[in-house]
Every structure is written in C-alpha cells, then in structure tokens.
Amino acid sequence: LCLPLTSLPSPPGLRIHEYLYFQVLSPGDIRYIFTATPAKDFGGVFNTRYDQIHLVPADPPEACGELNNGVFIQDQIALVERGGCSFLSKTRVIQEHGGRAVIIADNAYDNDSFYIEMVQDSSRRTADIPALFLLGRDGYMIRRSLEQHGLPWAVISIPVNVTSIPTYEMMQPPWTFW
C-alpha cells in the first residue's frame, strides 16, 4: 500500500518546513514581526501563545555550556547564536536553565534570506522545548537594539498568527525580504 504523504494524519503543532512568527513588542525600534523555522527532528512545539514574554540573549551567546545569565532565562525564551556546538546541545542548555523555548540565530550576520535546517546530532539525546532558527540579520538587529538601549531582554509575543493580519498592516523588518 502506497499513500501520498498528504493523506497521512499529521501530529498537532508545527511540522517541517513551516514558519513560525513572533513579534517584538519592545524595544520599539525593532517592533517587527520576525519569521523563524522550527527544528526538523527534535524539540517541542508551541502549545501556548505567549503575549508578553522575555527574549533573553544568552551569555555567552553560543550557549554551549553554563550560562552567566541563566537565572534570567528561567521561564523565558532564550536568543542564542549559532556555532560552537550542535543545535540540540544549545537547546538542552536552555532547557536545563528552565527556558520555555530557544531561538537560534545564524552567526552569519549578513544572512537575510537563507534558513538552515536544524537537525538532531548523533548523541541520541532529546529536548522538550521548541527550538527555532532565525536569520542572522534578524538576530543581529535584535541584539544590537538591546545593546543600544542597555536592555537585558526584548519583550515578544510568540507565536503570532499572521494570517489574521492584513498585509498592509504587517510590520516586517525593513532589511528582510518576505
């Protein structure tokens, strides 16, 4: 029996190659809707909408071990930078610090269009929190704004249902092509 994949039931939540959107509410200079992609074969899904939750840049940014600001990541979402260890390792570090999700930004700061597919490493470990990939330019602009304002985190809403927002009202980052 050979069925097309579209006829098979799919699990709830996000699946491969789907986009997830979040909106920065503060600081105001980056009050845009950003696009991210979920990890391909590890991590959880968003079963809850967070209307105002902190997006906390990890310190150190690559989050490959103990965090200097782990106490601020508890019950929040971490912004992590790609590099230094596997995507799954980063996700587990954030999970171990009590984070609700991790957004991993590309370390290529000029990347404004190429999404990387985050896959399981060879360790056979798992992670329960959602892991999302963010374009490098978006991650860089968020971190830069926080530094300029001297803020320890951004306030975001995640996920955002963009199908209910008229196109002309969609606040997209001016540096990203949609």
Side-chain angles (χ1 to χ4, degrees):
L1 176 66
C2 191
L3 296 173
L5 287 176
T6 55
S7 67
L8 296 175
S10 58
L14 291 170
R15 292 165 297 283
I16 302 168
H17 303 302
E18 289 194 16
Y19 295 108
L20 184 137
Y21 302 92
F22 68 94
Q23 182 174 20
V24 173
L25 304 173
S26 172
D29 63 330
I30 54 168
R31 192 177 168 100
Y32 299 116
I33 294 175
F34 293 89
T35 305
T37 55
K40 178 180 178 181
D41 57 4
F42 70 89
V45 296
F46 279 95
N47 293 317
T48 302
R49 174 174 155 72
Y50 300 101
D51 288 320
Q52 291 189 12
I53 191 166
H54 294 162
L55 178 63
V56 182
D59 177 23
E62 291 180 343
C64 291
E66 191 59 34
L67 301 177
N68 298 323
N69 65 340
V71 67
F72 296 113
I73 289 172
Q74 176 78 35
D75 292 324
Q76 305 303 321
I77 296 176
L79 177 62
V80 172
E81 193 169 294
R82 180 180 176 209
C85 60
S86 71
F87 293 119
L88 177 59
S89 292
K90 295 171 185 302
T91 304
R92 288 182 53 88
V93 165
I94 299 307
Q95 179 174 307
E96 289 163 7
H97 282 85
R100 295 196 182 186
V102 61
I103 297 175
I104 303 171
D106 196 354
N107 55 1
Y109 297 154
D110 59 345
N111 177 9
D112 61 4
S113 60
F114 182 70
Y115 289 91
I116 306 250
E117 193 168 73
M118 298 191 308
V119 295
Q120 171 74 267
D121 62 20
S122 59
S123 68
R124 300 179 198 250
R125 297 173 300 169
T126 60
D128 299 319
I129 64 171
L132 305 171
F133 183 82
L134 181 66
L135 295 173
R137 175 69 53 95
D138 293 345
Y140 169 77
M141 297 301 277
I142 292 169
R143 283 189 302 273
R144 187 181 88 171
S145 175
L146 293 175
E147 289 168 9
Q148 287 174 342
H149 293 287
L151 296 171
W153 53 68
V155 178
I156 67 170
S157 288
I158 187 168
V160 173
N161 180 357
V162 296
T163 60
S164 64
I165 301 172
T167 306
Y168 64 88
E169 288 182 14
M170 196 108 103
M171 290 296 296
Q172 304 161 1
W175 56 85
T176 302
F177 298 106
W178 282 41

